[in-house]
Amino acid sequence: MSVPDHDAPVETMWEGRFIVARRRGRWEYVSRARGIRAAVILAVDKGDVLLVEQYRVPLGRACLELPAGLVGDEDDADEDSLAAAARELEEETGYRAGRIEAVGEFHSSPGMVSESFTLVKAGALEQVGAGGGEGDENIIVHRVPIATIAAFVAAKRAEGVAIDVKLLLLLGGSLLD
């Protein structure tokens, strides 16, 4: 089976500090610059899950998300996904994971973004700080009982908060009912 544009050369149309706009044949898409990757953390502890809410410029509003961050963005090109996930979890939420494991690599919007992320599951959480991110990130941390996650997400959506697609991970079972 032939795939259109499969063998076309990749052309860089624009490059910024964190993203690169590319074209391959007729297809335009965005990639992370400098090979930067991402880690997304599913932090579950005692029947609760940690979520973060922060303003996202591309959306023009706050977004409810799983904690996440870039791998190797702290001038450590050799940083691995688990180390980055542990660092980002503590920075964003104020919780340190006693247990952390990689679940796998996923792609969130493969029709327009080549970026993938490593999903990491964290447990045995210990609160060691306030969280909130670094600098002007202004991250709000939510510790939500898993049993009420659907209602919590619905209430945030009703407030006008955007909902990250990765939260489908937590809503999946209720969507299949």
Side-chain angles (χ1 to χ4, degrees), residues 63-115:
C63 187
L64 186 65
E65 311 168 1
L66 292 172
L70 299 178
V71 179
D73 69 334
E74 299 286 323
D75 296 325
D76 182 2
D78 296 328
E79 183 178 43
D80 71 13
S81 296
L82 292 178
R87 175 179 52 78
E88 290 288 347
L89 179 66
E90 193 169 325
E91 286 174 9
E92 291 192 0
T93 69
Y95 284 85
R96 183 173 293 146
R99 183 179 66 254
I100 194 160
E101 64 181 300
V103 175
E105 186 176 3
F106 296 86
H107 301 266
S108 58
S109 188
M112 68 178 271
V113 178
S114 67
E115 176 189 41

Side-chain angles (χ1 to χ4, degrees), residues 120-133:
V120 172
K121 187 171 182 183
L125 305 178
E126 174 188 2
Q127 189 164 13
V128 295

Side-chain angles (χ1 to χ4, degrees), residues 30-172:
V30 177
S31 297
R32 287 270 184 203
R34 305 180 322 275
I36 293 175
R37 297 165 293 128
V40 176
I41 305 106
L42 175 60
V44 180
D45 190 51
K46 300 176 185 159
D48 295 340
V49 65
L50 296 182
L51 301 177
V52 294
E53 181 180 335
Q54 62 184 311
Y55 184 83
R56 293 298 194 178
V57 171
L59 303 178
R61 60 184 169 151
C63 187
L64 186 65
E65 311 168 1
L66 292 172
L70 299 178
V71 179
D73 69 334
E74 299 286 323
D75 296 325
D76 182 2
D78 296 328
E79 183 178 43
D80 71 13
S81 296
L82 292 178
R87 175 179 52 78
E88 290 288 347
L89 179 66
E90 193 169 325
E91 286 174 9
E92 291 192 0
T93 69
Y95 284 85
R96 183 173 293 146
R99 183 179 66 254
I100 194 160
E101 64 181 300
V103 175
E105 186 176 3
F106 296 86
H107 301 266
S108 58
S109 188
M112 68 178 271
V113 178
S114 67
E115 176 189 41
S116 66
F117 63 89
T118 300
L119 180 63
V120 172
K121 187 171 182 183
L125 305 178
E126 174 188 2
Q127 189 164 13
V128 295
E134 292 187 324
D136 61 354
E137 286 183 306
N138 297 318
I139 294 171
I140 300 167
V141 180
H142 300 284
R143 187 172 174 125
V144 183
I146 293 170
T148 65
I149 196 73
F152 183 82
V153 170
K156 284 295 181 181
R157 181 179 282 119
E159 290 175 18
V161 173
I163 308 300
D164 186 300
V165 67
K166 290 178 280 308
L167 292 190
L168 287 172
L169 173 72
L170 302 171
L171 300 173

